[in-house]
């Protein structure tokens, strides 16, 4: 099976592509994508499962060997390759193995606990935030994404990146001419994800 992607415009290139390895068809596409030598594959699922085990047992302080044993036990009943989700980032040509949505959010926000209470996290997850104007707003969008401070983040800007914008936008010369919204969305999408 040959893996092909449709020609994407620059806006579509900041949209991650999700693969559910439990789905036979998606798993076949995923296997082909992993064979592509130009795609970087990041598979740190064991580390994420370790973080999940710690998040599920917050009062326990695991020794390294003990945690490794718990991870091994976990994968005795789960097929590691088909566990969780795989996410392809076309703008980085990178494929990443991640926990499923619920576990991803739990681990991703676990260090927010009591800085933002679990109840506040649930409340914020239902909120939509809009940011208009991304010369300065992209830093705000990124900070919200870091804390997973909302459920939906909407960005708006009509402008493209110019050389004179590089004093206030986290971008580089390779991004010149790209819409500011694409730059901000790509940067934030790597954090929010699922």
């Amino acid at each position: 099976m040959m893996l092909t992607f449709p020609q994407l415009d620059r806006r579509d290139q900041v949209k991650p592509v999700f693969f559910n390895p439990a789905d036979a068809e998606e798993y076949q596409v995923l296997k082909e994508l992993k064979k592509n030598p130009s795609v970087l594959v990041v598979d740190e699922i064991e580390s994420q499962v370790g973080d999940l085990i710690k998040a599920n047992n917050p009062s326990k302080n695991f020794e390294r060997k003990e945690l490794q044993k718990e991870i091994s036990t976990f994968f005795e009943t789960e097929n590691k390759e088909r566990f969780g989700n795989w996410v392809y980032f076309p703008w980085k040509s990178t494929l990443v193995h991640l926990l499923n949505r619920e576990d991803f959010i739990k681990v991703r926000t676990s260090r927010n606990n009591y800085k933002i209470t679990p109840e506040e996290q649930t409340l914020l997850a239902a909120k939509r935030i809009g940011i208009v104007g991304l010369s300065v707003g992209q830093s705000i969008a990124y900070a919200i994404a870091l804390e997973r401070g909302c459920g939906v983040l909407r960005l708006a800007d009509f402008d493209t990146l110019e050389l004179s914008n590089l004093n206030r936008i986290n971008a580089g010369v390779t991004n010149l001419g790209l819409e500011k919204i694409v730059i901000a969305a790509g940067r934030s999408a790597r954090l929010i994800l699922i």
Side-chain angles (χ1 to χ4, degrees), residues 36-61:
N36 185 334
S38 66
V39 172
L40 173 65
V41 177
V42 178
D43 188 354
E44 292 293 323
I45 198 66
E46 285 189 16
S47 172
Q48 294 170 55
V49 167
D51 285 340
L52 179 62
I53 291 166
K54 290 188 284 186
N56 286 336
N57 300 281
S59 62
K60 186 162 176 62
N61 189 11

Side-chain angles (χ1 to χ4, degrees), residues 96-111:
V96 183
H97 195 179
L98 296 172
L99 295 170
N100 64 40
R101 178 179 167 72
E102 182 180 313
D103 293 339
F104 176 88
I105 291 170
K106 183 176 198 165
V107 171
R108 171 81 172 74
T109 60
S110 67
R111 294 193 182 181

Side-chain angles (χ1 to χ4, degrees), residues 134-153:
L134 296 174
S135 286
V136 176
Q138 63 99 26
S139 294
I140 296 164
Y142 189 69
I144 291 169
L146 276 172
E147 296 290 339
R148 199 171 175 93
C150 66
V152 175
L153 184 58

Side-chain angles (χ1 to χ4, degrees), residues 12 28 30 33 39 76 87 93 135 137-138 154 169 175 193:
D12 288 335
Q28 288 306 313
L30 175 63
L33 184 60
V39 172
E76 286 175 3
V87 184
S93 194
S135 286
Q138 63 99 26
R154 300 273 187 213
I169 293 183
N175 299 120
L193 282 182

Side-chain angles (χ1 to χ4, degrees), residues 110-143:
S110 67
R111 294 193 182 181
N112 290 353
N113 285 343
Y114 303 106
K115 175 177 159 185
I116 304 171
T117 67
E119 295 78 21
E120 290 169 330
Q121 287 180 22
T122 301
L123 181 66
L124 288 171
K127 301 294 181 186
R128 294 174 182 260
I129 296 177
I131 299 174
V132 179
L134 296 174
S135 286
V136 176
Q138 63 99 26
S139 294
I140 296 164
Y142 189 69

